[in-house]
């Protein structure tokens, strides 16, 4: 079992996933920090265009690896260009806004980046095929990402010195990588499944970066079949997932994770505009799961962080604010009435 840092938050905590609607960094930072007192996060604003999307922002963090936008997506390049400069500029804007609204803040602060396997599935090599096709390219990407995140976390610590950093790796493609379901550029074939030990090793390398910064790692995947046990072995202190996709097949893995002290970031509010039930009703399924697993209700609010099911980039600004406030109330209902 890999050593891992814990995520220190009180019972009844809520957070978000990463993306927000709109193009105003100050408004997004104001909303996130105002709504989420216990675990705010650095927002992503993909509506600004390439370089502000999750792949582009992470590509901009890479060290000695560069990428630019092609009609088919992000492709590795020989040198930094306009797209890299744009990604750097927007990230600075986002960091400036976050710093403005976190003056004197002390507590958990979450920052997101695309994980090494979703990045390898998204970034194209110069010939147009995904980096996932080349084991050497995957290793290089992981090393470059780890080095870039070291600098990124150091910058966050400088700007928000009272923060306890939580690094979230976004890995929506991870289940497909493990199953050999990522399609090739032609669309007619799929890439071979990556060995689970190789996947785990790369994630462990990035988890070490979080520990070096006195932080902790959480891995987010809004796809079915989240590999909970693998992520725990890799050093993840938390796993973030869409609760509506969980089936009873995951019961054993979820129970083991909860008993081991892994934080479960349960996504219960839809990421796009739609009706929301009452906050207590949104987490009723979480209570049911706890009973089914035979876990003590007293541990529920301490083990769970309530979030939207995925990012809120596709929502309206009004709904995004409502969804975050809804998650806060739902988390409090778990603390007030875990049964």
């Amino acid at each position: 079992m890999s050593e891992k840092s814990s995520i220190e938050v009180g019972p009844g905590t809520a957070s978000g996933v990463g993306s927000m609607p709109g193009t105003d960094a100050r408004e997004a930072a104001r909303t996130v920090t105002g709504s989420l007192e216990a675990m705010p996060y650095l927002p992503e604003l993909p509506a600004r265009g390439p370089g502000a999307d999750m792949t582009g922002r992470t590509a901009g963090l890479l060290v000695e690896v560069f990428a630019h936008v092609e009609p088919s997506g992000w492709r590795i390049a020989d040198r930094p260009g306009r797209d890299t400069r744009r990604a750097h500029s927007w990230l600075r804007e986002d960091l400036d806004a976050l710093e403005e609204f976190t003056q004197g803040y002390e507590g958990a602060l979450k920052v997101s980046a695309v994980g090494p396997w979703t990045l390898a599935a998204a970034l194209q090599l110069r010939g147009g095929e995904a980096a996932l096709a080349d084991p050497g390219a995957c290793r290089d990407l992981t090393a470059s990402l780890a080095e870039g995140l070291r600098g990124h976390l150091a910058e966050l610590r400088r700007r928000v010195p009272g923060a306890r950093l939580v690094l979230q790796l976004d890995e929506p493609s991870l289940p497909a990588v493990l199953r050999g379901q990522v399609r090739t550029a032609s669309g007619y074939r799929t890439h071979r499944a990556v060995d689970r030990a190789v996947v785990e090793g790369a994630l462990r390398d990035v988890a070490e970066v979080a520990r070096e910064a006195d932080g902790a790692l959480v891995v987010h995947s809004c796809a079915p079949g989240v590999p909970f046990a693998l992520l725990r072995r890799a050093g993840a202190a938390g796993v973030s997932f869409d609760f509506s996709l969980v089936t009873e097949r995951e019961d054993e893995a979820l129970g083991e994770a909860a008993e081991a002290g892994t934080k479960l970031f349960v996504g219960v509010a839809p990421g796009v505009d739609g009706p929301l039930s009452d906050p207590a009703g949104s987490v009723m399924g979480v209570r049911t799961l706890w009973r089914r697993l035979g876990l003590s209700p007293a541990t529920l609010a301490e083990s769970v962080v309530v979030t939207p099911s995925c990012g809120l980039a596709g929502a309206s600004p009004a709904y995004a604010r409502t969804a975050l406030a809804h998650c806060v109330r739902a988390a409090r209902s778990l603390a007030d009435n875990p049964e």
Side-chain angles (χ1 to χ4, degrees):
M1 182 74 66
S2 177
E3 180 187 355
K4 64 184 179 185
S5 303
S6 62
I7 298 172
E8 298 177 8
V9 291
T13 295
S15 190
V17 173
S19 64
M20 292 287 285
T23 60
D24 188 331
R26 291 186 74 254
E27 181 58 31
R30 187 202 312 273
T31 298
V32 165
T33 56
S35 301
L36 304 168
E37 296 180 357
M39 191 185 286
Y41 60 94
L42 177 65
E44 299 168 353
L45 298 174
R48 292 180 298 195
D53 59 299
M54 64 184 231
T55 302
R57 170 178 278 188
T58 302
L61 292 173
L62 298 176
V63 173
E64 296 184 358
V65 175
F66 313 106
H68 66 274
V69 179
E70 294 275 347
S72 56
W74 284 90
R75 183 171 296 184
I76 292 174
D78 294 323
R79 60 183 63 85
R82 179 185 61 183
D83 297 321
T84 299
R85 291 192 294 272
R86 188 163 46 192
H88 290 169
S89 175
W90 275 328
L91 179 57
R92 284 195 300 272
E93 183 179 317
D94 294 338
L95 288 168
D96 288 345
L98 182 71
E99 183 179 6
E100 177 184 349
F101 289 101
T102 52
Q103 294 295 307
Y105 176 74
E106 295 183 354
L109 176 66
K110 190 160 66 66
V111 57
S112 303
V114 176
W117 296 107
T118 295
L119 192 63
L123 274 186
Q124 301 166 11
L125 300 172
R126 290 174 180 84
E129 197 54 81
L132 187 64
D134 184 336
C138 292
R139 289 192 294 272
D140 290 345
L141 270 182
T142 298
S144 176
L145 175 63
E147 192 58 32
L149 287 172
R150 282 188 182 93
H152 188 39
L153 295 182
E155 175 74 0
L156 276 161
R157 184 163 297 288
R158 183 186 69 78
R159 288 173 176 262
V160 194
R164 298 190 305 274
L165 297 177
V166 177
L167 172 61
Q168 175 182 301
L169 292 182
D170 291 320
E171 284 282 15
S173 297
L174 181 58
V177 168
L178 290 167
R179 295 174 185 149
Q181 295 175 338
V182 176
R183 292 205 168 274
T184 59
S186 68
Y188 295 118
R189 296 185 298 108
T190 58
H191 294 285
R192 295 175 61 182
V194 180
D195 184 87
R196 297 177 79 87
V198 174
V199 169
E200 184 180 323
L203 292 169
R204 187 180 296 113
D205 289 344
V206 183
E208 180 60 29
V209 173
R211 286 194 294 273
E212 289 171 2
D214 295 323
L217 178 72
V218 56
V219 179
H220 168 72
S221 182
C222 50
V226 176
F228 291 95
L230 183 152
L231 297 177
R232 288 175 50 228
R233 290 195 303 269
V239 182
S240 172
F241 55 98
D242 181 344
F243 187 72
S244 70
L245 299 179
V246 170
T247 69
E248 292 190 16
R249 289 193 300 271
E250 278 91 35
D251 276 7
E252 182 177 354
L254 282 166
E256 290 175 351
E259 289 182 331
T262 303
K263 280 283 190 296
L264 302 178
F265 288 65
V266 296
V268 298
V272 294
D273 292 43
L276 292 167
S277 67
D278 68 282
S282 290
V283 288
M284 185 61 69
V286 182
R287 293 188 180 91
T288 301
L289 170 68
W290 228 246
R291 289 194 296 271
R292 194 167 73 231
L293 296 177
L295 298 172
S296 168
T299 66
L300 176 54
E302 295 179 354
S303 300
V304 165
V305 175
V306 179
T307 73
S309 59
C310 208
L312 294 167
S316 66
Y319 176 82
R321 290 190 295 270
T322 299
L324 293 179
H326 181 88
C327 289
V328 170
R329 291 193 294 271
R332 287 176 184 158
S333 78
L334 285 181
D336 294 340
N337 182 21
E339 299 189 65

